[in-house]
Amino acid sequence: QVQLVESGGGLVQPGGSLRLSCAASGNIFSRYAMGWYRQAPGKQRELVATMSSGGSTNYADSVKGRFTISRDNAENTVHLQMNSLVPEDTAVYYCNADDMLLGINYWGKGTLVTVSS
């Protein structure tokens, strides 16, 4: 069982930045594809960014050029650097670990990001 704990959310003004972190338990972190998803009020959960075990990245069009996903396999962490934030980025952000070998997905409990003046 993998546990994911997100941190770094909060209130930020439009144009500001935040860095989210996700700490994962276990000793096979490097095998997982990691990702960030978000869910705004009244909307479905959507993909924000993913990074494969090999380092390939994928971003939602709405965040390309503003957000950057990174991972530190030695520390079992994945980060999401968010710049030039806009109110539409307001959502609960969830960390995801995809064990593609076993076909199991793990989710954190989420961290709230609010972009407002």
PDB file of all heavy atoms in Angstrom, residues 19-34:
ATOM      1  N   ARG A  19       4.288  26.158  -4.910  1.00  0.00           N
ATOM      2  CA  ARG A  19       4.955  24.891  -5.193  1.00  0.00           C
ATOM      3  C   ARG A  19       4.302  23.815  -4.346  1.00  0.00           C
ATOM      4  O   ARG A  19       4.359  23.860  -3.110  1.00  0.00           O
ATOM      5  CB  ARG A  19       6.439  24.967  -4.882  1.00  0.00           C
ATOM      6  CG  ARG A  19       7.228  23.728  -5.292  1.00  0.00           C
ATOM      7  CD  ARG A  19       8.694  23.900  -4.989  1.00  0.00           C
ATOM      8  NE  ARG A  19       9.533  22.875  -5.583  1.00  0.00           N
ATOM      9  CZ  ARG A  19      10.358  22.106  -4.898  1.00  0.00           C
ATOM     10  NH1 ARG A  19      10.451  22.255  -3.585  1.00  0.00           N
ATOM     11  NH2 ARG A  19      11.108  21.204  -5.519  1.00  0.00           N
ATOM     12  N   LEU A  20       3.685  22.866  -5.017  1.00  0.00           N
ATOM     13  CA  LEU A  20       3.090  21.732  -4.333  1.00  0.00           C
ATOM     14  C   LEU A  20       4.087  20.597  -4.248  1.00  0.00           C
ATOM     15  O   LEU A  20       4.889  20.396  -5.151  1.00  0.00           O
ATOM     16  CB  LEU A  20       1.835  21.258  -5.073  1.00  0.00           C
ATOM     17  CG  LEU A  20       0.745  22.298  -5.335  1.00  0.00           C
ATOM     18  CD1 LEU A  20      -0.451  21.620  -6.004  1.00  0.00           C
ATOM     19  CD2 LEU A  20       0.338  22.985  -4.067  1.00  0.00           C
ATOM     20  N   SER A  21       3.992  19.848  -3.153  1.00  0.00           N
ATOM     21  CA  SER A  21       4.842  18.677  -2.971  1.00  0.00           C
ATOM     22  C   SER A  21       3.979  17.477  -2.610  1.00  0.00           C
ATOM     23  O   SER A  21       2.921  17.627  -1.991  1.00  0.00           O
ATOM     24  CB  SER A  21       5.872  18.913  -1.874  1.00  0.00           C
ATOM     25  OG  SER A  21       6.748  19.967  -2.226  1.00  0.00           O
ATOM     26  N   CYS A  22       4.463  16.325  -2.985  1.00  0.00           N
ATOM     27  CA  CYS A  22       3.774  15.079  -2.662  1.00  0.00           C
ATOM     28  C   CYS A  22       4.838  14.081  -2.199  1.00  0.00           C
ATOM     29  O   CYS A  22       5.759  13.756  -2.955  1.00  0.00           O
ATOM     30  CB  CYS A  22       3.035  14.544  -3.871  1.00  0.00           C
ATOM     31  SG  CYS A  22       2.333  12.889  -3.670  1.00  0.00           S
ATOM     32  N   ALA A  23       4.673  13.616  -0.973  1.00  0.00           N
ATOM     33  CA  ALA A  23       5.595  12.632  -0.420  1.00  0.00           C
ATOM     34  C   ALA A  23       4.937  11.260  -0.466  1.00  0.00           C
ATOM     35  O   ALA A  23       3.783  11.101  -0.049  1.00  0.00           O
ATOM     36  CB  ALA A  23       5.944  12.994   1.013  1.00  0.00           C
ATOM     37  N   ALA A  24       5.682  10.285  -0.971  1.00  0.00           N
ATOM     38  CA  ALA A  24       5.155   8.936  -1.120  1.00  0.00           C
ATOM     39  C   ALA A  24       5.873   7.963  -0.207  1.00  0.00           C
ATOM     40  O   ALA A  24       7.089   8.058  -0.013  1.00  0.00           O
ATOM     41  CB  ALA A  24       5.312   8.474  -2.564  1.00  0.00           C
ATOM     42  N   SER A  25       5.118   7.037   0.360  1.00  0.00           N
ATOM     43  CA  SER A  25       5.715   5.977   1.157  1.00  0.00           C
ATOM     44  C   SER A  25       6.161   4.855   0.233  1.00  0.00           C
ATOM     45  O   SER A  25       5.816   4.824  -0.949  1.00  0.00           O
ATOM     46  CB  SER A  25       4.705   5.453   2.179  1.00  0.00           C
ATOM     47  OG  SER A  25       3.607   4.850   1.502  1.00  0.00           O
ATOM     48  N   GLY A  26       6.918   3.917   0.776  1.00  0.00           N
ATOM     49  CA  GLY A  26       7.318   2.772  -0.021  1.00  0.00           C
ATOM     50  C   GLY A  26       8.701   2.931  -0.606  1.00  0.00           C
ATOM     51  O   GLY A  26       9.288   4.013  -0.575  1.00  0.00           O
ATOM     52  N   ASN A  27       9.207   1.831  -1.146  1.00  0.00           N
ATOM     53  CA  ASN A  27      10.581   1.855  -1.656  1.00  0.00           C
ATOM     54  C   ASN A  27      10.674   1.534  -3.141  1.00  0.00           C
ATOM     55  O   ASN A  27      11.751   1.191  -3.633  1.00  0.00           O
ATOM     56  CB  ASN A  27      11.441   0.869  -0.863  1.00  0.00           C
ATOM     57  CG  ASN A  27      10.856  -0.543  -0.918  1.00  0.00           C
ATOM     58  OD1 ASN A  27       9.901  -0.808  -1.645  1.00  0.00           O
ATOM     59  ND2 ASN A  27      11.437  -1.454  -0.158  1.00  0.00           N
ATOM     60  N   ILE A  28       9.548   1.650  -3.842  1.00  0.00           N
ATOM     61  CA  ILE A  28       9.563   1.419  -5.291  1.00  0.00           C
ATOM     62  C   ILE A  28       9.009   2.626  -6.026  1.00  0.00           C
ATOM     63  O   ILE A  28       8.429   2.519  -7.092  1.00  0.00           O
ATOM     64  CB  ILE A  28       8.778   0.151  -5.680  1.00  0.00           C
ATOM     65  CG1 ILE A  28       7.376   0.158  -5.059  1.00  0.00           C
ATOM     66  CG2 ILE A  28       9.541  -1.085  -5.285  1.00  0.00           C
ATOM     67  CD1 ILE A  28       6.521  -0.992  -5.520  1.00  0.00           C
ATOM     68  N   PHE A  29       9.209   3.801  -5.449  1.00  0.00           N
ATOM     69  CA  PHE A  29       8.698   5.045  -6.006  1.00  0.00           C
ATOM     70  C   PHE A  29       9.160   5.239  -7.436  1.00  0.00           C
ATOM     71  O   PHE A  29       8.403   5.704  -8.284  1.00  0.00           O
ATOM     72  CB  PHE A  29       9.165   6.210  -5.135  1.00  0.00           C
ATOM     73  CG  PHE A  29       8.777   7.559  -5.647  1.00  0.00           C
ATOM     74  CD1 PHE A  29       7.516   8.077  -5.419  1.00  0.00           C
ATOM     75  CD2 PHE A  29       9.694   8.332  -6.361  1.00  0.00           C
ATOM     76  CE1 PHE A  29       7.162   9.332  -5.886  1.00  0.00           C
ATOM     77  CE2 PHE A  29       9.351   9.581  -6.832  1.00  0.00           C
ATOM     78  CZ  PHE A  29       8.079  10.087  -6.585  1.00  0.00           C
ATOM     79  N   SER A  30      10.409   4.881  -7.710  1.00  0.00           N
ATOM     80  CA  SER A  30      10.968   5.143  -9.035  1.00  0.00           C
ATOM     81  C   SER A  30      10.227   4.395 -10.136  1.00  0.00           C
ATOM     82  O   SER A  30      10.330   4.741 -11.310  1.00  0.00           O
ATOM     83  CB  SER A  30      12.458   4.798  -9.068  1.00  0.00           C
ATOM     84  OG  SER A  30      12.637   3.435  -8.780  1.00  0.00           O
ATOM     85  N   ARG A  31       9.468   3.391  -9.780  1.00  0.00           N
ATOM     86  CA  ARG A  31       8.741   2.589 -10.772  1.00  0.00           C
ATOM     87  C   ARG A  31       7.431   3.241 -11.195  1.00  0.00           C
ATOM     88  O   ARG A  31       6.862   2.924 -12.236  1.00  0.00           O
ATOM     89  CB  ARG A  31       8.447   1.202 -10.185  1.00  0.00           C
ATOM     90  CG  ARG A  31       7.910   0.198 -11.175  1.00  0.00           C
ATOM     91  CD  ARG A  31       7.781  -1.150 -10.512  1.00  0.00           C
ATOM     92  NE  ARG A  31       6.538  -1.307  -9.779  1.00  0.00           N
ATOM     93  CZ  ARG A  31       6.307  -2.329  -8.958  1.00  0.00           C
ATOM     94  NH1 ARG A  31       7.233  -3.219  -8.715  1.00  0.00           N
ATOM     95  NH2 ARG A  31       5.153  -2.433  -8.341  1.00  0.00           N
ATOM     96  N   TYR A  32       6.949   4.163 -10.376  1.00  0.00           N
ATOM     97  CA  TYR A  32       5.635   4.726 -10.617  1.00  0.00           C
ATOM     98  C   TYR A  32       5.671   5.888 -11.603  1.00  0.00           C
ATOM     99  O   TYR A  32       6.603   6.688 -11.597  1.00  0.00           O
ATOM    100  CB  TYR A  32       5.017   5.260  -9.321  1.00  0.00           C
ATOM    101  CG  TYR A  32       4.874   4.260  -8.218  1.00  0.00           C
ATOM    102  CD1 TYR A  32       5.028   4.637  -6.892  1.00  0.00           C
ATOM    103  CD2 TYR A  32       4.586   2.925  -8.491  1.00  0.00           C
ATOM    104  CE1 TYR A  32       4.890   3.738  -5.865  1.00  0.00           C
ATOM    105  CE2 TYR A  32       4.461   2.021  -7.464  1.00  0.00           C
ATOM    106  CZ  TYR A  32       4.608   2.417  -6.151  1.00  0.00           C
ATOM    107  OH  TYR A  32       4.482   1.531  -5.140  1.00  0.00           O
ATOM    108  N   ALA A  33       4.621   5.989 -12.400  1.00  0.00           N
ATOM    109  CA  ALA A  33       4.339   7.236 -13.080  1.00  0.00           C
ATOM    110  C   ALA A  33       3.616   8.121 -12.062  1.00  0.00           C
ATOM    111  O   ALA A  33       2.705   7.655 -11.380  1.00  0.00           O
ATOM    112  CB  ALA A  33       3.454   6.996 -14.295  1.00  0.00           C
ATOM    113  N   MET A  34       4.049   9.358 -11.949  1.00  0.00           N
ATOM    114  CA  MET A  34       3.465  10.264 -10.967  1.00  0.00           C
ATOM    115  C   MET A  34       2.706  11.384 -11.675  1.00  0.00           C
ATOM    116  O   MET A  34       3.069  11.793 -12.792  1.00  0.00           O
ATOM    117  CB  MET A  34       4.552  10.868 -10.088  1.00  0.00           C
ATOM    118  CG  MET A  34       5.342   9.858  -9.289  1.00  0.00           C
ATOM    119  SD  MET A  34       4.314   8.910  -8.147  1.00  0.00           S
ATOM    120  CE  MET A  34       3.661  10.215  -7.082  1.00  0.00           C
TER     121      MET A  34
END
